[in-house]
Amino acid sequence: MKVEHIGIAVNKLEQAEPLYQTLLNSSAYKREEVESEGVITSFFRAGATKIELLEATRPDSPIARFIERRGEGLHHIAFEVEDIQAEMARLRAAGFRLLNEQPKRGADNKWVCFVHPKDCQGVLVELCQEIRE
Ligand code: CO
């Protein structure tokens, strides 16, 4: 389906938010902490898709480790799927390594699963599905 959002790792939301606000000519519409991942996220609308800025909340957060290795910048591309379990099964059968066995609760009311960047030409791919309950 569509690119639901693009995740960008940043050192400080305080610094990155105003910059993206000017770039996109719109304000962040929500900030949300995902405790389990050690991140605070900030969301912007960009036409049909969204930009998700990610700041680490602790040194062992995947975002902190990413920035340590590669610096700030493009972190992941998230594709919206209709049935995340089915897509995970399909990709697993096709030989892709998934970073989580079960969908987990991500930001913005989504079930998420990450696909190993080594299986996607160096790009971390997120599958996400709206949580309906
Ligand atoms: Co994301």
Side-chain angles (χ1 to χ4, degrees), residues 97-114:
R97 283 166 289 175
L98 305 179
L99 298 187
N100 41 297
E101 283 305 306
Q102 289 299 322
K104 46 185 185 178
R105 220 170 250 276
D108 206 27
N109 194 45
K110 297 279 194 292
W111 290 118
V112 304
C113 174
F114 288 93

Side-chain angles (χ1 to χ4, degrees), residues 61-130:
S61 151
I63 293 300
R65 281 187 270 121
F66 176 88
I67 290 177
E68 220 174 81
R69 283 200 322 272
R70 307 187 38 182
E72 292 181 288
L74 181 62
H75 180 259
H76 65 272
I77 299 180
F79 294 101
E80 183 167 47
V81 297
E82 194 56 46
D83 179 344
I84 196 166
Q85 297 278 8
E87 280 305 306
M88 287 170 69
R90 184 180 70 82
L91 292 175
R92 207 181 273 124
F96 288 86
R97 283 166 289 175
L98 305 179
L99 298 187
N100 41 297
E101 283 305 306
Q102 289 299 322
K104 46 185 185 178
R105 220 170 250 276
D108 206 27
N109 194 45
K110 297 279 194 292
W111 290 118
V112 304
C113 174
F114 288 93
V115 184
H116 203 295
K118 289 211 168 110
D119 296 338
C120 305
Q121 311 294 128
V123 175
L124 178 61
V125 167
E126 173 186 332
L127 308 176
C128 64
Q129 178 198 312
E130 191 83 27

Side-chain angles (χ1 to χ4, degrees), residues 4-8 41 43 52 54 75-78 107 112 114 126 128:
E4 212 281 333
H5 64 269
I6 294 171
I8 296 173
T41 64
F43 282 90
E52 174 187 37
L54 302 140
H75 180 259
H76 65 272
I77 299 180
V112 304
F114 288 93
E126 173 186 332
C128 64

